[in-house]
Amino acid sequence: MSLSKGYRFNYASEVVEGLNLIPPKEEWPIEEVLAYLSEESGLVFTVLPDHFISIKKGTALFCGYLKDRNTGDPLPFATVQSDAGSTISDETGYFEVELQGAQGLVSIRFIGYRNLEQEFSSNDPENCEEIYMIPQQLQLAEIVLYDYLIRGIDQLDDGSYQIDFDRFTILPGLIETDVLQAVQAFPGIQSVSETVSDINIRGGTNDQNLILWDGIKMYQSGHFFGLISMFNPMITQNVSLRKNGTPARFTDGVSGTIDMETDDRINKTISGSLGVNFIDVSGFVDTPLGASSSIQVAARKAINDFVVSPTYTEYFNRISQDTEVENSAGNVINSDKTFDFYDTSLRWLWKASEKDLLRLNFIVARNDLVFNENANIDNTPVSRESSLAQGTVAGGLRYERRWDERISTDLEIYNTDYNLRAINVNIANDQRFLQENKVSETAARMNFSMRLKEQWQWNSGYQFTETKVTNLDDVDDPVFRRLEGNVLRVHSGYTSLGYFSGDRSTRADMGVRLNYLDKFNRIIWEPRLSFNQRIAEGFNLELLGEFKHQNTSQVINFQSDFLGIEKRRWQLADEQEIPVITSKQGSAGLSFNRSGWLINAVGYYKEVEGITTQSQGFQNQYEFEKAVGSYKARGMDVLVRKQLDVLSAWLSYSLLQSDYTFETLPERTFPNNYDITHAMTLGMSYEADHLRLAAGWNWRTGKPTTIPDQDQPVLNDAINFRPSNSDRFLDYMRLDLSALYLFSLTPGTNAQVGVSVWNLLDRDNTLSRFYRVGNPGEARDFTQNSLGITPNAVLRVNF
């Protein structure tokens, strides 16, 4: 197209497709022609050199107020997305978002309400549209404490904590949204070993936590053998954390539940990200497959094939401390140490109709460590390879059917396989020792939900689970092979009744789960309770309770198992040496939330029965004992948080008293190995414009430990220990910093750069220690310390 003055228009065909306008008058100057075309079409015309004019889709502003359809209350902090940008509604429900043209598709998401996707026309701030969101009756939980620590972390009225990474800002020491590091920011949750594979909730061990990824139970949680989460942060959008009051549809996890979910929204346009930090490189893409389907793929790999960073070196030194990788025996020299990890995740959604939704998930993750052991045998150089591999392959399918406004059903099926394998060579004795631990689990669950009345909700369902655990020990000279395999099938039925008042001030959920363990012909009843009441302006009362059980646990046979790096292996209950673990727990909490202040205090009591000494990680006189016992935990979690315009500061404190009871041990009752009596965190985050900053100070009393008798450390060729857990390591302390800067590269593309420092003061914190007999009369100690000062940096581009 050209005009009398010789102007030429440059544009993509889809930009003007479908536009029909009355031609401008021929006598108009070019400026008037462009003004007319822009006003009528909403397009942007830019005059370029040599009489060229580019045509692009223009952006326009759309504003609105989000409200509850039933009550008219504003909906703050909802996520609003368009084809040109995204935003969050403020406390009054108000938002502004750009559109590519005069009209555009706007997507609105808010917890507890149905997702809304609709075409809207641009408007001005004086004529903002009121948008009424429909409550999702089949999801009763709603937010009662916004921004529990920082923006993106909320507490729901069912007692759970929700982490929404779409709204997530920044935590001290973290520049990537590591799921299992983030949950350790909550009071009552620590990791005594400073790893994500050993998260301790209210005195419990890590194997007492139920970890779910889109409904799939995971038996592996970490890369770098536990230092970072194996769940790719780009594809994991929401996390639900429960310390108590678990709904009846969940089983396992007598200490807590960490439920991770991918995005359940079908993306209409392609988006993704590429990023690199001092540990790994990662990529993510979310692309539509037609109008009713989309797929997400995420992948991540260690960077040490390309460059060895200071962070990688610090991590590698941490996992190999006092292990066979680091310690060379006699004239044996270890060399050629290599380590690698990777993970790949996939999520596919298909909305077959307005009532039917299908979701497919797949995840694979692996850690590999290889090194050579070298020695001169009879004046001949000999080199043999030792290795350690840990991996998970899992897949799941979920089909949801919404029959009408009141009734819905969903079917979930998954299979998860975990494998830990180590080959340890002994050059001097020409011996090879193979160890392997495998878990394979298949489960199916059918759930039925019905809204009985406006304020009543009934859920019921059935679950079948088959778990197989195999352990192998194989020595080639002298020939020894021990293979143990066990299978357990569990049938479970559950039902629950939920109630919420019309003004949303009262919410209650009461349920029961019935489990039948076919191998033991045993029935286990598990009542569950969740109650929340707003009792005054700004005050909130919470009561939670549950009975739970679990059939698997992790045990440690020897500190040198699996090269001393990953000592824990999964075992299935046999009701003889390893019983089914059962628990009961109750808690009461009171919150005050007003004028930017949040004060939350929760007291709890927990009993766990059926634990074994092997599952508790003893490193003293009970390291090789096989005894069955229990533990009790009582304590309090407290949080005080103050929010200003751009600043959030918090102080959390946990008090815990936990004791073991083992009837068959010489000491019947003594402190729990995970009895962290006092733990305190002081944190602060700043967010303004494109900059995010965070700083945090962590302190806790030292972990209980047992030391040898000072006067006679060795007795009868064995370590002569003092009373169990009668001493403690020195107090743990750590200062962390992190910073992120976000900026725009091109329209539709943005980037972020960030730096963090873990343990800024380089404090030497002792995490664990065990003893062996050294020289005659001497007790030799083997100590693992925390990470030293560990910097990290990230560059990520989002499109």
Side-chain angles (χ1 to χ4, degrees), residues 231-291:
F231 305 103
N232 196 305
M234 294 298 100
I235 201 171
T236 305
Q237 294 297 318
N238 293 283
V239 179
S240 177
L241 169 67
R242 290 181 172 88
K243 298 186 252 184
N244 191 10
T246 312
R249 68 179 182 275
F250 290 113
T251 187
D252 279 316
V254 297
S255 277
T257 301
I258 303 172
D259 185 11
M260 295 166 282
E261 293 183 349
T262 58
D263 198 346
D264 61 356
R265 180 179 62 91
I266 295 176
N267 198 9
K268 300 297 183 182
T269 59
I270 187 170
S271 63
S273 71
L274 290 171
V276 60
N277 58 41
F278 283 176
I279 302 172
D280 57 64
V281 59
S282 61
F284 166 77
V285 64
D286 186 355
T287 182
L289 301 176

Side-chain angles (χ1 to χ4, degrees), residues 7 246 326 353 548:
Y7 285 93
T246 312
E326 181 183 70
S353 70
K548 295 184 77 176

